[in-house]
Amino acid sequence: MQGSFKMHEWRIEPREYARQEDRRGRRHAYESLDPVRTALVVIDMVPFFAEANPYVRGIVPNICRIAEALRTAGGLVAWVLPANEAPLGRVSSEFYGPTVSEAFASAGGDGPLRSRLWHALDVRPDDSVMEKTAYSAFFPGHSVLPGLLAKRGIDTVIITGALTNVCCESSARDAATTGLRVLMVADANAARRDQDHNAALYTIYRSFGDVRTTDEVLDLIRKRTGPAQPAR
């Protein structure tokens, strides 16, 4: 039912928190951020996923809360949609089978980019909207997003959207590999099951970035420690 929604019962095991606290002396890798040098990256929030998955619909309010706070603080909001191409290129049909490959290749929908986003999202004129032709929004040559972030002097990305363990995790891994500070939002990403969601959060927290709640991210945005630096 399209009107229903769910939220994941997410968790990171206490032993993993303890491991990171022992390594770096604190639970969270990134204890502050400069909003002007931060981008909220919203992955694949399109009807193809939202209509089929109540967890995707459930994260809409949290994504919108972060987007509004970051805009107000001078940061960038970037909505990234799947392009109408097979996600694994020439091997997609072989890997998925032709029917599923064709479905994934049309997941982005038709029409202007902004019109393809899930209707409940609050997308503003100054936000950036773009496509990606791979699972990751940061894989070289498959999206204009990395170039846009570099041009603006972005050093921190807040990853939200769908699916946690596929495009969001892929994007977080590649963003970290390029040297960006990555925050994955535990209650603003959605998978098909709690198990899938939590496995992805564990991997990101252990090896690629920080995992925070929406409320924690909002606190980081609002407690800037000094005057914002101009975007470059």
Side-chain angles (χ1 to χ4, degrees), residues 13 29 33 43 49 88 92 102 115 139 172 179-181 195:
E13 293 184 6
L33 57 80
I43 304 289
F49 295 108
L88 294 180
S92 282
E102 289 173 10
S115 73
F139 196 83
L180 289 165
R181 305 161 82 239
Q195 299 96 312

Side-chain angles (χ1 to χ4, degrees), residues 131-145:
E131 293 180 311
K132 59 180 175 61
T133 57
Y135 285 132
S136 169
F138 290 88
F139 196 83
H142 287 270
S143 173
V144 301
L145 179 64

Side-chain angles (χ1 to χ4, degrees), residues 8-9 165 191-200:
H8 285 296
E9 293 290 337
N165 58 318
R192 295 189 179 278
R193 308 180 305 164
D194 287 346
Q195 299 96 312
D196 301 333
H197 183 72
N198 289 331

Side-chain angles (χ1 to χ4, degrees), residues 6 14 46 54-55 118 157 171 182 196 220:
K6 292 182 179 180
V46 294
Y55 291 111
W118 182 242
V157 291
S171 297
V182 173
D196 301 333
L220 290 174

